[in-house]
Amino acid sequence: MSGNAAIARGAYEAGVTVGTGYPGTPSTEILENLARYAPEVYCEWSPNEKVAFEVAAGASLGGARSIVTMKHVGLNVAADPLMTLSYITVEGGLVACVADDPGMHSSQNEQDTRNYARFARVPLFEPSDSQEAKDFMKLAMEISEKYKTPVILRSTTRVSHSRSLVAQEERRAPGTVGLVKNPSRFVPIPVWGRPMRQRLEERLVLLKKEAEASPANRIEWRDRKLGIITSSIAYQYVREVWPEASVLKLGFSYPFPDALINQFASGIERLLVVEELDDILEQHVKSLGYAAAGRKFVPGIGELSIDRLRASRAKLEGCEMPQDEPSPFSQDLPPRPPVLCPGCPHRGVFYALGKHDVVVTGDIGCYSLGAFKPLDRMDSILCMGAGISMAHGLEKAGEPRKVVGIVGDSTFFHSGITGLLDIGYNRGRSTIIVLDNRTTAMTGHQDHPGTGRTLSGEPTKALSIEEFGRACGIDRVLTQDPYDLDATLEAISGELEADAPSLIVFRAPCPLKERKRVGMRRVVNPELCKGCKLCLKLACPAIEYQGELPVINPIFCAGCGLCEQVCPAGAISTEGKP
Amino acid sequence: MSEKIRSVVLAGVGGQGILLASEVLARAAMIAGYDVKTNEVHGMAQRGGSVIAQVRYGPEVYSPLVARKSALVLGALEQIEALRFADLLAPDGLAVVNAQAIVPVTVSMGAAKYPQDIESRLWKAFPKLIYLKAAEMAKDLGNIQAANIVLLGAVSQGLDLPDEAWQEAIAASVKEKFRELNLKAFEAGRSLV
């Protein structure tokens, strides 16, 4: 079972009845797995993480056990409800499952969610494999309900996406739901909020005692010469690199279990802290007065591994790590970066934008791949929704070129609407493009408010991006098929010339999701091909070229026909035709 | 303890079926009674990029990731991907490489070159190499999609899992109507000399 499936299983066994979230690698499969327990558990993809968090908070106030799932950057969006929910407290247990991405496999930054636990003064659990992912979810739920506090369960890419064996148990029967009116508890206006602030600190003292006695924290006594404090996936690497060392393994790591740390630190000769990303444990252990080694030997950037910790061990022991020469046969291999898939509806839009001297502010999604050469048509990416708002800011600052903002459909609903509202309200002039492929593609095709389907597969209203655009005060709203290259070029040129803000929705479903070709496969007729290489500017993985004439790989070609429209010699056509 | 852990690396290009192959392998190890951990790549990395799946089994497995120079077997569905992850293979490990070239976009754009001496590089890089035409073998058996299982059959030659575990794992991992084909595909790879 994957770590994510195990978290979902734990939530199910804990009697959770409401699960919410927004997709984000590496967290996405938690909610997808939990949704399989419908109708015992109600699950939804919310438009964004803030909404998801609030929906879970509402359920919890009514007494239901709930979870909310997101990736690390999603918690920034949901930070607002988190920071005050710890004041007003929960009724049914609420666990926020947040997955970090050390190494930035699929993320725009590498932030460490453990900081949020301390920031919001909420308990933190950190599983190191799938069995713990399930067990800790249940422990977290108990702690949440016992102390009326939201709890963060922090996973990482390697915990979420590794599989290991998990023993399953029965589901706890859910309790009854019904909000019990108690304004001095649930309404943090200053007169009631200040006592809440006091109670928050008192609760932390109790939670520290709870962490010190928790089965999620344990000392493994082995050789006392070296003692290692560690948590999460780093524990697994530590066990292989220092099999002889004593280990304090923290699974319930905030509030810091000081009694355990004291017991461990005073029982060993040398203390090392091994943690992925920030030096949170190390700084705390030092603040207790112990001479702990940590960041000096263990890297704080990128993910840890057995190999990196072997180097740490060598450094700690004062010996040089033998430098392994990489195999000479693996030198100068051509890189294979991720690319827009064959038949991707985004490709033509980037190609068309390449015809204009404009600035393009982008967003988070598959279309971030449009930043690579040869498409090379994205100048910035910040966070979800920023593709729209940053275009507006650049335009207002006096950028001499026309500014184009790009978002996806799911991103538009996530946090693009408010940016568009700003453009409509504050007399912006940017051209906003929504690349609507009818799904949240990058994370594995999740539904969203525009698709007409819920997470559990029920039909629902498909909300219209165009109508949102008009409601935001954008008068020039167009819908265009991105596979028609001439019309795409014309739509973009027309809107760039307009002296008003506009919204172009390029709509075509993701062929990867539809699992079918867009059209007939294309072939290159070598007798007509002049070798001009214009088709290569599309960066289509199906078009292979090694120095003579381009060849279309029939296994990959999705039949979108863009290459045929780009070819000036008429050398590309569907199979069977001349 | 760690020397008893067997590590296997499977590599290829997104969409080639690496993840199914790793699932079958993990299941076979589980059926054989081992503790198993696997890791796979999701999200951004799947969009036509290099894909790697790692499987480790033994009495007790800690890290889901394979350390350098420690894999017993490296199986690759694409040739340059075999070389890309060559460093993970133990010096006496077995490499199983499908004789297929998938040209990366970086090559088509002229930013890089596909090594023309790939076959001789492979023979030099891997002292123990099974170089097979998995795609053609799968096609002959009736479906080119089973190339991943042909490869897995060859990979199995370097591992100590019993036939029954493999067969049970394949039966449990693929749809009923593809079962016969995949069992044959596996056998074709396993019996390859």
Side-chain angles (χ1 to χ4, degrees):
Chain A
M1 197 181 267
S2 73
N4 282 346
I7 293 172
R9 178 71 203 180
Y12 173 75
E13 289 179 7
V16 163
T17 55
V18 175
T20 65
Y22 182 80
T25 312
S27 72
T28 313
E29 303 83 6
I30 302 173
L31 205 56
E32 289 181 325
N33 276 286
L34 189 59
R36 296 191 182 135
Y37 296 108
E40 287 176 276
V41 188
Y42 167 78
C43 288
E44 68 165 47
W45 289 126
S46 307
N48 66 31
E49 295 86 352
K50 178 178 185 290
V51 173
F53 203 109
E54 292 156 354
V55 172
S60 159
L61 247 56
R65 287 190 164 190
S66 61
I67 69 164
V68 52
T69 74
M70 62 198 74
K71 67 186 292 177
H72 56 321
V73 286
L75 191 54
N76 301 333
V77 180
D80 199 357
L82 168 70
M83 297 302 291
T84 303
L85 187 63
S86 62
Y87 279 53
I88 74 168
T89 71
V90 304
E91 186 53 35
L94 187 154
V95 178
C97 309
V98 187
D100 286 1
D101 190 16
M104 297 168 66
H105 298 278
S106 230
S107 305
Q108 67 270 37
N109 79 17
E110 199 178 46
Q111 69 189 48
D112 188 332
T113 291
R114 294 179 301 159
N115 290 295
Y116 267 110
R118 203 165 44 165
F119 192 21
R121 294 169 162 77
V122 299
L124 173 70
F125 282 83
E126 296 182 76
S128 70
D129 63 17
S130 298
Q131 181 69 53
E132 285 189 353
K134 197 201 81 164
D135 293 344
F136 287 8
M137 164 56 84
K138 294 168 81 174
L139 281 174
M141 199 54 81
E142 294 298 330
I143 292 293
S144 173
E145 212 160 273
K146 183 171 173 188
Y147 293 92
K148 308 289 180 205
T149 174
V151 175
I152 295 175
L153 181 91
R154 180 223 190 202
S155 179
T156 67
T157 301
R158 300 304 186 179
V159 174
S160 284
H161 288 167
S162 293
R163 289 171 199 273
S164 54
L165 308 182
V166 176
Q168 305 196 356
E169 293 160 289
E170 292 295 305
R171 173 167 165 90
R172 172 191 182 274
T176 51
V177 173
L179 187 129
V180 180
K181 191 174 169 69
N182 189 350
S184 68
R185 178 176 162 198
F186 296 138
V187 183
I189 53 172
V191 61
W192 290 326
R194 289 187 196 106
M196 291 179 192
R197 175 79 184 84
Q198 287 293 337
R199 289 199 291 274
L200 185 54
E201 296 304 320
E202 290 157 18
R203 192 169 73 214
L204 276 182
V205 176
L206 299 177
L207 282 164
K208 185 181 284 281
K209 292 216 170 0
E210 193 73 51
E212 285 164 348
S214 173
N217 295 329
R218 66 167 185 263
I219 294 176
E220 299 173 1
W221 290 120
R222 281 178 281 271
D223 187 350
R224 307 259 180 150
K225 281 201 206 66
L226 179 70
I228 300 173
I229 304 180
T230 187
S231 70
S232 188
I233 191 74
Y235 166 79
Q236 308 293 355
Y237 306 142
V238 163
R239 288 294 293 119
E240 295 207 24
V241 175
W242 285 278
E244 78 291 354
S246 294
V247 171
L248 168 56
K249 182 192 179 302
L250 298 182
F252 181 173
S253 54
Y254 186 84
F256 301 109
D258 289 344
L260 267 183
I261 295 171
N262 288 330
Q263 186 196 346
F264 185 70
S266 49
I268 46 113
E269 288 174 34
R270 190 171 188 190
L271 188 60
L272 175 69
V273 180
V274 178
E275 56 194 321
E276 215 165 33
L277 301 184
D278 295 347
D279 55 353
I280 295 171
L281 280 172
E282 180 190 353
Q283 292 306 327
H284 180 72
V285 169
K286 282 178 171 166
S287 78
L288 294 176
Y290 297 106
R295 190 56 73 242
K296 196 172 158 200
F297 301 98
V298 181
I301 299 175
E303 66 175 341
L304 298 179
S305 64
I306 292 177
D307 295 314
R308 289 184 94 188
L309 289 184
R310 279 191 183 139
S312 301
R313 177 168 186 158
K315 207 170 159 191
L316 188 73
E317 292 170 358
C319 46
E320 277 302 302
M321 186 79 176
Q323 282 297 318
D324 276 330
E325 288 298 317
S327 163
F329 309 108
S330 302
Q331 302 299 304
D332 23 281
L333 295 177
R336 197 187 298 275
V339 285
L340 293 176
C341 304
C344 177
H346 304 338
R347 179 170 281 111
V349 177
F350 285 115
Y351 180 82
L353 280 169
K355 305 280 177 200
H356 297 277
D357 182 25
V358 291
V359 180
V360 182
T361 55
D363 217 287
I364 310 284
C366 288
Y367 39 89
S368 59
L369 300 170
F372 293 134
K373 282 186 177 168
L375 292 171
D376 190 18
R377 216 61 207 99
M378 197 169 270
D379 298 301
S380 75
I381 291 178
L382 180 60
C383 58
M384 289 207 177
I388 296 182
S389 333
M390 285 179 76
H392 180 59
L394 197 54
E395 185 248 299
K396 288 293 181 187
E399 166 61 43
R401 289 159 294 180
K402 186 85 185 188
V403 187
V404 178
I406 290 189
V407 288
D409 42 345
S410 188
T411 341
F412 178 83
F413 292 112
H414 179 282
S415 43
I417 296 166
T418 40
L420 198 61
L421 189 61
D422 191 31
I423 291 175
Y425 169 47
N426 283 311
R427 304 162 59 97
R429 286 171 49 251
S430 305
T431 301
I432 302 302
I433 290 175
V434 181
L435 296 173
D436 180 5
N437 60 359
R438 315 300 299 145
T439 185
T440 317
M442 181 60 100
T443 46
H445 301 116
Q446 289 74 32
D447 282 292
H448 61 64
T451 64
R453 256 169 54 109
T454 67
L455 170 55
S456 48
E458 298 158 323
T460 183
K461 272 187 184 170
L463 299 172
S464 157
I465 295 170
E466 289 87 341
E467 282 180 36
F468 269 107
R470 284 185 278 269
C472 288
I474 311 298
D475 297 327
R476 302 179 67 93
V477 177
L478 268 74
T479 310
Q480 179 56 50
D481 170 10
Y483 291 123
D484 183 340
L485 192 58
D486 283 340
T488 295
L489 283 161
E490 200 177 313
I492 291 176
S493 301
E495 294 315 304
L496 286 176
E497 280 163 23
D499 192 30
S502 52
L503 180 71
I504 317 174
V505 182
F506 285 103
R507 179 168 296 133
C510 172
L512 210 61
K513 178 175 190 212
E514 303 288 303
R515 292 175 172 274
K516 61 179 188 199
R517 289 176 203 284
V518 183
M520 300 266 286
R521 285 193 195 95
R522 300 308 200 270
V523 290
V524 180
N525 182 339
E527 284 168 23
L528 294 176
C529 177
K530 297 194 164 63
C532 72
K533 300 199 270 187
L534 258 180
C535 55
L536 298 176
K537 295 223 187 295
L538 292 168
C540 176
I543 307 178
E544 299 182 349
Y545 175 77
Q546 290 199 71
E548 289 174 17
L549 292 180
V551 178
I552 297 176
N553 187 327
I555 295 175
F556 296 129
C557 178
C560 73
L562 273 185
C563 52
E564 180 177 340
Q565 297 175 68
V566 163
C567 180
I572 302 178
S573 61
T574 49
E575 275 175 315
K577 287 187 189 169
Chain B
M1 204 178 324
S2 66
E3 60 273 10
K4 285 197 205 143
I5 299 175
R6 284 81 148 176
S7 299
V8 183
V9 174
L10 299 174
V13 177
Q16 280 193 301
I18 285 297
L19 296 187
L20 175 68
S22 78
E23 186 189 323
V24 172
L25 166 51
R27 192 166 263 159
M30 199 172 82
I31 291 165
Y34 291 107
D35 185 23
V36 188
K37 281 189 178 169
T38 72
N39 186 270
E40 58 200 44
V41 178
H42 289 237
M44 178 74 103
Q46 273 181 316
R47 295 287 172 269
S50 302
V51 169
I52 171 176
Q54 313 181 45
V55 181
R56 304 185 79 211
Y57 65 91
E60 186 171 14
V61 181
Y62 295 105
S63 165
L65 299 186
V66 176
R68 277 163 53 86
K69 298 194 187 303
S70 75
L72 277 182
V73 188
L74 164 67
L77 277 167
E78 205 279 350
Q79 302 171 123
I80 55 172
E81 299 312 315
L83 290 175
R84 201 184 306 282
F85 298 106
D87 271 359
L88 292 173
L89 188 65
D92 61 345
L94 169 69
V96 179
V97 182
N98 179 23
Q100 189 182 4
I102 297 176
V103 181
V105 169
T106 48
V107 169
S108 297
M109 277 161 42
K113 280 202 160 49
Y114 198 99
Q116 295 305 305
D117 59 340
I118 184 73
E119 188 174 343
S120 69
R121 273 208 208 191
L122 288 168
W123 287 106
K124 282 180 210 157
F126 302 116
K128 280 160 73 178
L129 173 67
I130 299 179
Y131 189 57
L132 76 168
K133 293 184 168 162
E136 286 170 33
M137 289 167 71
K139 207 172 177 180
D140 290 345
L141 289 169
N143 193 334
I144 195 165
Q145 302 285 349
N148 54 347
I149 302 299
V150 174
L151 183 98
L152 187 65
V155 163
S156 77
Q157 294 189 28
L159 303 172
D160 55 359
L161 299 172
D163 281 327
E164 309 79 66
W166 287 110
Q167 284 155 9
E168 202 182 322
I170 290 167
S173 303
V174 302
K175 284 196 187 126
E176 173 84 48
K177 63 173 175 173
F178 297 119
R179 185 174 297 171
E180 205 54 33
L181 165 76
N182 279 293
L183 285 171
K184 272 191 207 150
F186 183 82
E187 202 39 52
R190 190 165 173 82
S191 56
L192 202 70
V193 188

